[in-house]
Amino acid sequence: MTEVVLLGRRAVREVVRYPEATIPTLFIPLFFLAVNIGQVSKTFPSTTPFLNGQGYVAFQLPVSLMFAVATATSGLALVTEIDLGYFDKLLVAPIRRSSIIFGRLTADLVRGIAASAFVLLAGIALGAHIQSGVAGAALIVLLSALFGVAYAGFGILVALRTRNVQATNTSFLLFFPLLFLTPNFVPFDRLSPLMATLARINPVSYVIVGLRSLVIDGWDAGKIGASVLVIVVMGIVLTALSLRAIATYDR
């Protein structure tokens, strides 16, 4: 645990020391939020049934939160250390290899909390009202950050397997089709049959629906539970694959 704390502290210091690596990742979610509101808000006024009296910003806010936390920063930081040779020094140090992974994920948690809180405040400033209250807002930030930690395992896995910066960077680009194959613009029941089927088998859909319920509906145990389940399963699977990749890195 001490190793994880030390490596995590080092990774968090990198985030604080180089804000230029984090700030651009906030541009995309805020850009999409503003553009989508500007284009669609008149099509779906607050009287639209699925908005529950709110503006369209409330419906789009969870999508922007997903954009904000699903980055490849940990994978890129790791592959940079591989290129510089520092990663080899960590491998021969008297520490558990798993600590390297968990240290990076610690930084992702801190970054995810800060990014999701910032985007959530931006959404509130644009008119969104969190129906689940302050506790719900805190849960939105936490779940968003934890999803970012879970998805970070994919970037780390790509970094360890390919040891290539360009390949690692695509781990973020691959999130785009995952995000757009969700009920990101309208609910499930307003999608075409094919799109609805694809959205329902996409686990990211249930994270968005869970977060959206906290914003628009209040406390819906079923939707929130499904969101938590997806985050936990995704985190366990991707982290386990990352741990296996680093355990066999030099074989």
Side-chain angles (χ1 to χ4, degrees), residues 191-209:
L191 296 173
S192 68
L194 176 59
M195 280 296 298
T197 300
L198 293 174
R200 289 188 185 281
I201 63 177
N202 181 1
V204 178
S205 295
Y206 299 96
V207 180
I208 291 176
V209 169

Side-chain angles (χ1 to χ4, degrees), residues 5-236:
V5 171
L6 292 175
L7 291 172
R9 187 183 303 167
R10 170 179 171 270
V12 170
R13 280 201 300 266
E14 289 178 1
V15 175
V16 176
R17 192 176 300 165
Y18 303 107
E20 61 272 14
T22 301
I23 292 175
T25 63
L26 295 175
F27 172 76
I28 293 178
L30 294 178
F31 174 79
F32 271 91
L33 184 62
V35 168
N36 289 336
I37 293 170
Q39 291 182 340
V40 187
S41 58
K42 288 188 176 181
T43 304
F44 299 114
S46 59
T47 54
T48 304
F50 65 77
L51 292 179
N52 198 22
Q54 294 210 54
Y56 192 68
V57 60
F59 194 84
Q60 273 295 302
L61 182 55
V63 180
S64 293
L65 287 166
M66 293 293 94
F67 263 129
V69 299
T71 64
T73 49
S74 277
L76 288 172
L78 199 59
V79 80
T80 300
E81 290 182 344
I82 292 173
D83 281 344
L84 296 175
Y86 184 77
F87 186 72
D88 292 329
K89 295 179 180 179
L90 289 176
L91 291 181
V92 299
I95 60 174
R96 297 180 182 86
R97 292 190 174 189
S98 60
S99 300
I100 301 173
I101 302 295
F102 288 119
R104 283 290 164 194
L105 293 181
T106 299
D108 274 308
L109 179 61
V110 173
R111 183 189 295 107
I113 289 174
S116 54
F118 183 81
V119 172
L120 181 64
L121 289 174
I124 293 173
L126 290 172
H129 176 69
I130 311 302
Q131 290 284 41
S132 53
V134 176
L139 184 58
I140 290 170
V141 170
L142 179 60
L143 290 179
S144 299
L146 289 175
F147 176 82
V149 172
Y151 189 75
F154 181 60
I156 292 173
L157 177 62
V158 174
L160 292 172
R161 288 300 188 190
T162 66
R163 310 179 192 184
N164 181 273
V165 174
Q166 289 77 16
T168 304
N169 200 35
T170 61
S171 64
F172 169 67
L173 298 178
L174 290 174
F175 184 67
F176 278 81
L178 278 178
L179 188 63
F180 283 102
L181 290 175
T182 65
N184 60 330
F185 289 112
V186 292
F188 283 118
D189 59 6
R190 296 205 177 191
L191 296 173
S192 68
L194 176 59
M195 280 296 298
T197 300
L198 293 174
R200 289 188 185 281
I201 63 177
N202 181 1
V204 178
S205 295
Y206 299 96
V207 180
I208 291 176
V209 169
L211 295 177
R212 188 173 284 154
S213 70
L214 287 165
V215 178
I216 295 178
D217 304 320
W219 295 94
D220 187 317
K223 293 177 180 178
I224 297 170
S227 177
V228 172
L229 179 62
V230 168
I231 293 171
V232 170
V233 172
M234 183 181 294
I236 291 173

